[in-house]
Amino acid sequence: MDLAADTTCLYLRHAFGPRVAFVFGWAMTAVLVPSSVAFYARVTAQHLAPWLGGSPTAWSLGLLAAIAGVNLWGVRPTAWLQSAVTSLRALGLLAVAVLAARLPPGPATVAPHAGAGAAVAALVPVLWAYDGWIDVTSVAREVRRPARDVP
């Protein structure tokens, strides 16, 4: 990763100095980005394995290898894959909404008090939902037409 080219590192360098920017750049490279990619691969594999068979670990490694291969192939195939996966997610959400609207309402249940651990666990998906906007500054130099590309 070219630390001078990453906009977030530039912001941090101007605000807090070169050491903070350097540590952030290496944290992103060595820990933050790989852990999020591994997390998504593992969760996807855990959902695929019961349907398709095999171990979640094998599926995780296969997904990582396939996505890495598409990324090495080029920007256009990667953009197409991202659009296809996003479309599948949207169709899945639409299917859940349609099924929920068509099913008769069931009895209401109240969950027992689960404690602070459950509350923290419930916040994890919420925080991950905002994670993509963190990376916008990392690709700022690559965006040619922000009014068209960012929305």
Side-chain angles (χ1 to χ4, degrees), residues 24-109:
F24 176 78
W26 276 103
M28 286 289 288
T29 301
V31 178
L32 301 173
V33 173
S35 67
S36 67
V37 171
F39 172 80
Y40 284 125
R42 183 65 182 188
V43 168
T44 302
Q46 286 175 334
H47 286 88
L48 284 178
W51 289 64
L52 302 176
S55 79
T57 302
W59 277 106
S60 296
L61 294 172
L63 284 168
L64 289 172
I67 291 170
V70 172
N71 280 323
L72 290 172
W73 194 4
V75 173
R76 289 192 194 279
T78 302
W80 182 88
L81 177 65
Q82 185 174 7
S83 296
V85 170
T86 301
S87 297
L88 285 173
R89 279 191 226 152
L91 288 172
L93 285 173
L94 181 64
V96 167
V98 167
L99 283 174
R102 303 190 101 219
L103 292 175
T109 58

Side-chain angles (χ1 to χ4, degrees), residues 114-124:
V120 171
L123 283 175
V124 170

Side-chain angles (χ1 to χ4, degrees), residues 118-132:
V120 171
L123 283 175
V124 170
V126 174
L127 295 174
W128 280 86
Y130 293 102
D131 189 50

Side-chain angles (χ1 to χ4, degrees), residues 5-34:
D6 186 57
T7 310
T8 305
C9 287
L10 289 175
Y11 293 149
L12 289 172
R13 183 180 301 142
H14 288 300
F16 303 109
R19 286 185 181 153
V20 171
F22 179 80
V23 170
F24 176 78
W26 276 103
M28 286 289 288
T29 301
V31 178
L32 301 173
V33 173

